[in-house]
Amino acid sequence: MNSNYERTEIEELGEFGLIDRLTKKFEIQNASTIVGVGDDAAVIDLGEKQTVISTDLLIEGVHFDLAYTPLKHLGYKTVVVNLSDIYAMNATPTQVLLGLAFSNRFSIEELEEFYEGVYAACKTYGIDLIGGDTTSSQKGFIISCTAIGEVSSDKFVQRSTAQKGDLLCVSGDLGGAFLGITLLEREKKIFLENPSVQPDLENEKYIVQRILKPEARKDIVEFFFTNNILPTSMIDVSDGLSSEILHICKQSNVGCVLYEEKIPVAEDTKQAAYKFNIDPTACALSGGEDYELLFTINQNDLEKIIVNEQISVIGYIADSQSDAYIYTKGGNKHPLTAQGWNAFK
Ligand code: ADP
Ligand code: MG
């Protein structure tokens, strides 16, 4: 699990020494961060803007498996998935807090690897780590991450405000992360049965990267800002497209029509799906963890949107009486059902 040979026990440094070692490299990048790590609490000044806050809890064995997740990637992903929630409000993330619990199975070097990933994400997205908490657990690794962002009061976008006639759009492509985890789970099983067989993931880089090192769609929110586009509703795709569309429909009290042929799926994802004998559309609709943005726009904004190749128009919003439907490539009409990823199943 650890690529380092060194192993320093946590007890050698103690809690405060450890926090210091893990966070000393982080430099403040935002003017709004007045006091960061090191005091009883952080101080942030968001001025005239409104504050957006979101938190996530990640449990080893439920949300991630260290058998195939490098700690550096885990640190990166922990931050990114939280930022994705902030972007989904059409806001700009500025700070994160990180609570960790781990057993003495982990060494200082391993925790440093995790923080390398956290550091990389903070640099990439221009955000400050301003605090957290560090404690022990009897078993496994537990991570709690809270992200804070800012948005002008007239620009934040909720799930509940889609209107009949709006166009349904999604960024990037879908289904890749689900195939990535399917592949890693299969390789893990093969490895456990026969440890001499090393997995060959060379041709599957795209789907593996989609699950292990996702990115949040900062570029899309910036595109909205520079082109003066305000989506009428928005959500990030963490549980699968159909489940997210149904959230927008339910909370906005509308229906929708989705076209299978419009759903963006990368070529690498399609190839992997065929190898696993799974329908690529099913991966997009019901897989999870793609962290793309699903949003609706007024039809008048169509011309502003289509110039961006990272955005696909996949359907439209209908009135509340007509349910949520998908038209398949074969021309059949099916009700959309939520079979997204569920932590309790
Ligand atoms: P307290 O005892 O008041 O909870 P701590 O000793 O836990 O304070 O934390 C000291 C400082 O270090 C605080 O600024 C806290 O936010 C920060 N901190 C603690 N753990 C972490 C961590 N894992 N990552 C980043 N900052 C942390
Ligand atoms: Mg504390």
Side-chain angles (χ1 to χ4, degrees):
M1 184 177 91
N2 180 15
S3 54
N4 291 322
Y5 296 107
E6 258 179 282
R7 179 180 172 94
T8 312
E9 299 300 330
I10 293 157
E11 59 187 23
E12 275 181 50
L13 276 186
E15 184 188 334
F16 304 118
L18 173 64
I19 296 169
D20 189 44
R21 182 141 154 190
L22 294 177
T23 60
K24 64 172 184 260
K25 205 165 118 166
F26 289 78
E27 273 168 22
I28 303 281
Q29 304 182 75
N30 291 283
S32 57
T33 307
I34 311 297
V35 177
V37 172
D39 215 311
D40 295 310
V43 179
I44 54 180
D45 176 4
L46 293 174
E48 307 272 279
K49 299 283 180 73
Q50 305 216 325
T51 310
V52 180
I53 307 183
S54 177
T55 196
D56 268 315
L57 194 56
L58 300 170
I59 312 285
E60 183 181 355
V62 178
H63 303 100
F64 58 91
D65 186 336
L66 291 177
Y68 51 73
T69 310
L71 280 159
K72 188 171 171 181
H73 288 69
L74 183 61
Y76 191 86
K77 182 169 173 174
T78 295
V79 174
V80 162
V81 304
N82 269 271
L83 302 187
S84 180
D85 282 322
I86 303 292
Y87 290 123
M89 300 301 290
N90 202 34
T92 305
T94 42
Q95 287 91 9
V96 283
L97 295 114
L98 210 51
L100 300 181
F102 38 81
S103 67
N104 59 10
R105 188 181 111 217
F106 294 88
S107 68
I108 298 276
E109 287 77 12
E110 286 170 323
L111 295 170
E112 280 183 319
E113 255 184 80
F114 177 83
Y115 266 79
E116 278 297 316
V118 171
Y119 183 74
C122 286
K123 275 201 101 165
T124 302
Y125 292 90
I127 52 164
D128 298 322
L129 175 71
I130 57 163
D133 201 18
T134 308
T135 189
S136 55
S137 86
Q138 284 195 323
K139 210 170 147 265
F141 196 26
I142 297 165
I143 309 159
S144 160
C145 185
T146 301
I148 298 169
E150 55 174 51
V151 65
S152 319
S153 56
D154 56 347
K155 290 238 154 55
F156 69 86
V157 176
Q158 294 178 268
R159 299 175 175 183
S160 56
T161 40
Q163 301 278 333
K164 180 184 172 187
D166 287 349
L167 299 172
L168 190 61
C169 308
V170 72
S171 67
D173 58 78
L174 301 169
F178 174 77
L179 284 155
I181 191 130
T182 305
L183 174 70
L184 292 171
E185 285 287 346
R186 186 191 70 182
E187 294 302 323
K188 178 187 170 186
K189 212 165 147 243
I190 294 172
F191 181 78
L192 291 176
E193 282 162 10
N194 189 350
S196 67
V197 181
Q198 283 296 322
D200 178 12
L201 305 176
E202 194 49 36
N203 294 322
E204 314 288 358
K205 274 192 188 144
Y206 184 69
I207 58 168
V208 170
Q209 174 223 315
R210 290 293 283 168
I211 186 72
L212 292 184
K213 191 172 176 284
E215 300 291 352
R217 295 315 300 247
K218 179 180 201 255
D219 59 326
I220 299 290
V221 171
E222 285 172 352
F223 170 77
F224 292 154
F225 187 79
T226 47
N227 292 279
N228 211 5
I229 299 161
L230 191 62
T232 52
S233 70
M234 187 150 60
I235 187 169
D236 73 328
V237 184
S238 51
D239 293 343
L241 182 63
S242 57
S243 154
E244 313 301 0
I245 290 178
L246 291 171
H247 278 305
I248 286 188
C249 288
K250 186 154 182 247
Q251 288 177 243
S252 299
N253 194 24
V254 293
C256 83
V257 176
L258 174 68
Y259 296 95
E260 181 187 10
E261 61 181 353
K262 305 278 187 202
I263 300 173
V265 178
E267 192 52 39
D268 284 353
T269 303
K270 281 185 196 157
Q271 293 308 322
Y274 298 141
K275 270 187 227 165
F276 279 105
N277 219 354
I278 319 175
D279 176 16
T281 303
C283 298
L285 288 175
S286 307
E289 300 214 62
D290 289 312
Y291 299 105
E292 296 295 344
L293 291 173
L294 172 73
F295 56 94
T296 54
I297 56 159
N298 187 286
Q299 284 184 27
N300 297 333
D301 284 335
L302 176 62
E303 300 212 327
K304 289 193 205 164
I305 286 285
I306 50 172
V307 298
N308 190 328
E309 288 179 356
Q310 287 293 311
I311 296 175
S312 306
V313 178
I314 57 173
Y316 63 89
I317 298 295
D319 61 33
S320 55
Q321 277 79 27
S322 47
D323 277 332
Y325 283 103
I326 179 167
Y327 278 99
T328 65
K329 287 176 184 160
N332 295 316
K333 185 180 171 189
H334 293 290
L336 205 59
T337 53
Q339 288 161 327
W341 189 83
N342 180 347
F344 297 101
K345 79 187 166 194

